[in-house]
Amino acid sequence: MAASTLVDCTAFAVGCLLTVAGGVSVLSGRAPSWPRHVERTRLFGVWALCLGLFCVTQPPALRDEVTGLGAAAVDGRVALLLVSAAALLLGVRKPRGQ
């Protein structure tokens, strides 16, 4: 039980961190210094924001709340992952020479 709670708290904390970093990147056009592979900072922001919101709703209590909102909310969580993946792929720095 304690390991599950630790995972849930970690997912929530990482989600909050990514949500804030993503929101700042989308609004300001600046990425934090740690992601060196980023070419387009706003796409990094979309990736972080979507993944962060997904992680925030990952703990069982919040996931049950989302499920209770209906099928559109559950589909919205899946859409967050898809948009996150697309933004990550589009925002990654291309290798030199290509």
Side-chain angles (χ1 to χ4, degrees):
M1 183 76 169
S4 174
T5 304
L6 180 63
V7 169
D8 293 340
C9 290
T10 303
F12 186 79
V14 167
C16 289
L17 178 69
L18 285 174
T19 301
V20 169
V24 168
S25 292
V26 167
L27 294 175
S28 70
R30 296 176 150 246
S33 60
W34 48 266
R36 303 209 187 287
H37 64 283
V38 173
E39 183 175 54
R40 297 178 190 95
T41 55
R42 293 203 193 269
L43 284 175
F44 166 80
V46 170
W47 167 79
L49 188 61
C50 290
L51 189 61
L53 290 173
F54 178 83
C55 289
V56 164
T57 59
Q58 195 59 25
L62 293 173
R63 197 169 49 230
D64 291 344
E65 290 293 322
V66 170
T67 304
L69 292 175
V74 174
D75 292 343
R77 283 187 81 231
V78 175
L80 285 173
L81 277 183
L82 296 175
V83 170
S84 173
L88 179 64
L89 291 175
L90 292 172
V92 172
R93 188 180 309 270
K94 294 181 174 77
R96 293 184 184 254
Q98 290 187 0

